[in-house]
Amino acid sequence: MARHKEFDRDKALDAAIGVFCQHGYEGSSTHALLNAMKISRQSMYDTFGDKRSLYLQALKRYNTDSILSIIADMKDSEHPLDALEAALLAFASRPFSEASRGCLGVSAICEFGRTDADVSNLTDGASAMLGKAIVMLLEEGQRKGQLSAEVDPEVATQFLGATLSGMKVSARNGASPETQRAIARLAIRSLR
């Protein structure tokens, strides 16, 4: 009879995300992952596959959760640019312990670039999901006269994505929430 798993898969995956956020794929040893996840090597292989499979599952979950959180923060205002600013400010105001651990999505892009098709598909999918939500808000902002008609929503979306990525790297480097909020406000002010 098969033995019942004695660990919570989601908690174990969260722990793996934490290790990968801190150390990247190459810097995360299987030993460190197993210690953080509090599971045996066999349990990891049985549940997640090898280290690469675990990484891809962690990246997918991390990207989905992060993007959905940002999109949820964009729904807090009926004014599109205010909604975008609220999302950036919420991101900037994360607790230091969360902000300083790094972004697995940015880390994946920096570590792999375009050399790994599976990683690229996950990061491209996350970018597309967030980008679509931002473009829709910017287009609505133009219809409501909140955003200049001269601003190209696609280019502005790329600008905001680069701003958000920069904020993530700055947070990892120890930038204060006040600095992050100032960056967020400046980015939105440049679109008005």
Side-chain angles (χ1 to χ4, degrees):
M1 186 161 94
R3 205 176 133 174
H4 177 64
K5 288 183 183 153
E6 297 177 8
F7 66 92
D8 182 317
R9 184 186 191 288
D10 288 332
K11 285 183 182 176
L13 190 56
D14 285 341
I17 288 169
V19 173
F20 287 131
C21 282
Q22 282 287 68
H23 304 288
Y25 176 75
E26 286 297 328
S28 297
S29 69
T30 301
H31 179 73
L33 288 162
L34 295 174
N35 282 342
M37 296 167 74
K38 297 179 175 49
I39 63 173
S40 70
R41 185 175 298 270
Q42 191 60 50
S43 291
M44 182 185 92
Y45 290 132
D46 290 347
T47 305
F48 300 103
D50 61 8
K51 177 182 163 185
R52 177 179 161 67
S53 295
L54 173 62
Y55 179 77
L56 292 172
Q57 291 172 61
L59 180 59
K60 181 178 182 179
R61 165 106 160 263
Y62 180 89
N63 283 346
T64 300
D65 291 351
S66 297
I67 298 304
L68 291 177
S69 176
I70 293 168
I71 290 172
D73 289 336
M74 291 191 305
K75 296 182 181 197
D76 286 345
S77 174
E78 60 187 62
H79 302 289
L81 288 185
D82 294 344
L84 285 168
E85 185 173 22
L88 288 176
L89 290 173
F91 178 82
S93 299
R94 295 169 303 149
F96 179 76
S97 60
E98 181 185 337
S100 65
R101 81 176 188 168
C103 171
L104 187 54
V106 170
S107 172
I109 292 167
C110 291
E111 189 167 0
F112 291 97
R114 304 298 295 174
T115 63
D116 186 300
D118 293 328
V119 172
S120 294
N121 286 337
L122 290 172
T123 57
D124 290 351
S127 293
M129 185 189 320
L130 181 59
K132 182 178 177 184
I134 292 172
V135 165
M136 287 173 41
L137 273 178
L138 292 172
E139 289 172 344
E140 182 184 348
Q142 281 183 322
R143 285 191 299 275
K144 292 183 173 183
Q146 204 183 16
L147 178 69
S148 168
E150 297 173 7
V151 174
D152 180 336
E154 296 287 339
V155 173
T157 297
Q158 293 298 316
F159 166 70
L160 290 171
T163 300
L164 185 58
S165 293
M167 290 172 67
K168 292 174 180 183
V169 172
S170 295
R172 176 73 191 250
N173 196 37
S176 70
E178 294 79 22
T179 298
Q180 298 278 60
R181 286 190 289 271
I183 292 167
R185 288 186 185 101
L186 181 61
I188 297 301
R189 195 166 45 242
S190 72
L191 297 176
R192 292 189 190 271

